[in-house]
Amino acid sequence: MSLTLLFLQLTVILVTARTCGLVLRAFGQPMVIGEMAAGILLGPVVFGALFPQWHQQLFPLASLPGLSSLATVGVVLFMFIVGAELRAPSGMGAQFRAAGWVGVSSMVLPMVLGLAIAPVFHPALAPQGVEFWPFALFLGVALSITAFPVLARILKDRNMTRTRIGQLSLGAAGVVDALAWILLALVVALASAGAGLQGFMRIAIGLVVLVTVVFLAVKPMLAWLLRTHAPDGVPSPMMLAVLLIGMFVCAMLTEWLHLHAVFGAFLFGVALPRDDRLLHALAERIEPLSIVVLMPIFFALAGLGTSAGAFANSGLGMLALILLVASVGKIVGGAAGARMCGYGWRESLATGSLMNSRGLMELIVIKVGLDAGLIGAELFTMLLVMALVTTAATGPLLSLIARKSPKPIDRPTSA
């Protein structure tokens, strides 16, 4: 691929992503929703259908590996930051148990519903050679995701971060993130184990060894290094290089284990000390490159992986079923968990609505499934649309519940 074409692709991708993000932000949506939508616009569903010749010239097949490498670096850096910020929100205290219940219930119900509808999707949409259970388990995991970063942004925009509902939702989203990535790693390992149980055990044992080494050896070493060489929480360029090297090594090892590189980056981020100063310094240095430049490439590649024929014949009916199951599973599951812990109906429904936000995390998960061969382009397209719709609906649903409530939904109430 020529550098001229690469720079043209980057220009088109960034302009489209920024434009779509600004347009949707004007309608009260997070920028990332517009950037995700830009990926669909640049793919075969829109740009490829309207201008097939231009689309082929701008995104020839020979150029995709180079873009894929840049996108992978971007998503690895992003997942490193997500792992670093994964924690119980400060001041949760007694809400920790409630966050656990909400997180688990908002995962279990959509996962069970996903397994229930899998027999409908497997014959028509599973790639050739993919057995039922890896496909069904992946569909269940994909429907149970909550986007911690997007949820945090929605709460911040509404000044709800420090409220009971905000703290409960953030804590529950952290639980979902941790459980979902564990389950997804197991599903990908199951699908990647071409030698059956023996292959799966090899991957699983390798993952257990890596996690053990990271938490028993690497984590204390990182804490000592940062305490010694970055006592103010701001790593020097040399210390930042050490952290990035560790992240890339973990990403390389999980890729070598036939898992995705994002697992290693996320794991290394989780191993960092829970220091807000460190998190702020890392985000300040890494996010401008990752989120502004590299992640739009990831969105564009995701859009290029969609299928224009996904909604032909019974495709719209299947999409409607996915949207129904995904929304009901998350909203009802999250609300049930909050209700079991003594929250009122309004607070519980607000929590369930917030847990239905999937955003970028869902896109990463389904891209992992597509790369692993667990799903094909048609189901990937449906799940991508589901992620956009459910995330875009979070804000309006929350406003609807708040309008019907006699008290502002973001007002802390007594336990």
Side-chain angles (χ1 to χ4, degrees):
M1 177 176 64
S2 70
L3 286 178
T4 303
L5 178 60
L6 173 62
F7 290 136
L8 176 61
Q9 289 173 333
L10 293 178
T11 301
V12 171
I13 290 170
L14 291 179
V15 168
T16 307
R18 290 283 101 182
T19 302
C20 291
L22 290 172
V23 169
L24 285 195
R25 191 173 70 175
F27 290 93
Q29 295 291 343
M31 283 279 291
V32 68
I33 302 300
E35 293 170 358
M36 290 171 62
I40 296 180
L41 292 179
L42 291 173
V45 175
V46 180
F47 183 32
L50 295 176
F51 308 101
Q53 187 174 358
W54 289 1
H55 185 269
Q56 187 176 7
Q57 290 176 349
L58 182 60
F59 297 109
L61 290 178
S63 71
L64 298 188
L67 286 176
S68 179
S69 297
L70 289 174
T72 301
V73 173
V75 76
V76 161
L77 290 170
F78 176 80
M79 288 306 299
F80 169 60
I81 297 298
V82 170
E85 69 183 2
L86 183 63
R87 69 193 71 191
S90 59
M92 277 191 64
Q95 287 186 314
F96 184 79
R97 176 176 168 272
W101 273 107
V102 172
V104 171
S105 61
S106 70
M107 278 198 71
V108 170
L109 184 56
M111 185 169 291
V112 170
L113 293 176
L115 293 175
I117 66 172
V120 177
F121 289 85
H122 182 263
L125 298 179
Q128 187 175 4
V130 175
E131 300 294 334
F132 172 76
W133 279 111
F135 175 86
L137 289 171
F138 176 81
L139 182 59
V141 172
L143 295 179
S144 63
I145 294 296
T146 293
F148 185 93
V150 175
L151 175 59
R153 180 59 183 269
I154 292 173
L155 291 171
K156 183 178 180 180
D157 289 346
R158 292 171 174 265
N159 296 317
M160 293 175 62
T161 305
R162 299 291 180 181
T163 64
R164 283 212 323 163
I165 295 302
Q167 294 283 288
L168 177 63
S169 301
L170 284 173
V175 172
V176 171
D177 269 5
L179 292 177
W181 285 107
I182 292 171
L183 290 174
L184 183 61
L186 293 176
V187 173
V188 174
L190 181 64
S192 301
L197 181 61
Q198 183 179 0
F200 172 76
M201 291 304 297
R202 181 183 63 82
I203 296 173
I205 291 172
L207 184 59
V208 169
V209 170
L210 177 61
V211 171
T212 302
V213 170
V214 166
F215 281 96
L216 294 185
V218 176
K219 184 176 181 179
M221 183 179 66
L222 287 174
W224 177 80
L225 283 172
L226 289 167
R227 189 169 55 250
T228 304
H229 299 285
D232 58 351
V234 181
S236 64
M238 180 61 73
M239 193 66 231
L240 180 62
V242 170
L243 295 179
L244 292 177
I245 290 169
M247 177 201 67
F248 286 130
V249 169
C250 281
M252 176 192 68
L253 290 174
T254 51
E255 191 75 27
W256 177 72
L257 287 171
H258 299 292
L259 298 171
H260 200 284
V262 297
F263 294 110
F266 178 75
L267 177 65
F268 190 80
V270 172
L272 291 180
R274 304 296 93 178
D275 187 335
D276 287 339
R277 298 172 304 171
L278 174 64
L279 175 61
H280 177 74
L282 291 175
E284 191 175 51
R285 298 182 182 192
I286 293 175
E287 285 188 347
L289 173 65
S290 173
I291 293 180
V292 176
V293 179
L294 298 178
M295 288 307 295
I297 304 174
F298 176 76
F299 299 143
L301 276 177
L304 292 172
T306 57
S307 170
F311 309 122
N313 301 323
S314 60
L316 286 176
M318 289 184 172
L319 174 62
L321 181 58
I322 287 176
L323 285 169
L324 177 65
V325 167
S327 299
V328 169
K330 272 298 187 182
I331 295 174
V332 173
R339 189 73 181 129
M340 284 189 294
C341 295
Y343 286 78
W345 279 110
R346 299 297 184 191
E347 292 177 312
S348 299
L349 288 172
T351 302
S353 299
L354 286 166
M355 298 305 292
N356 198 36
S357 173
R358 289 176 172 85
L360 177 55
M361 298 301 292
E362 177 73 19
L363 180 53
I364 294 173
V365 168
I366 62 176
K367 189 66 168 61
V368 169
L370 182 67
D371 292 342
L374 285 164
I375 58 174
E378 292 81 6
L379 184 55
F380 175 81
T381 305
M382 295 178 190
L383 291 173
L384 176 54
V385 172
M386 179 272 293
L388 287 170
V389 172
T390 54
T391 307
T394 300
L397 278 176
L398 201 59
S399 298
L400 182 64
I401 295 170
R403 280 202 302 268
K404 289 187 175 182
S405 176
K407 296 179 180 180
I409 202 68
D410 59 341
R411 180 184 299 173
T413 58
S414 58

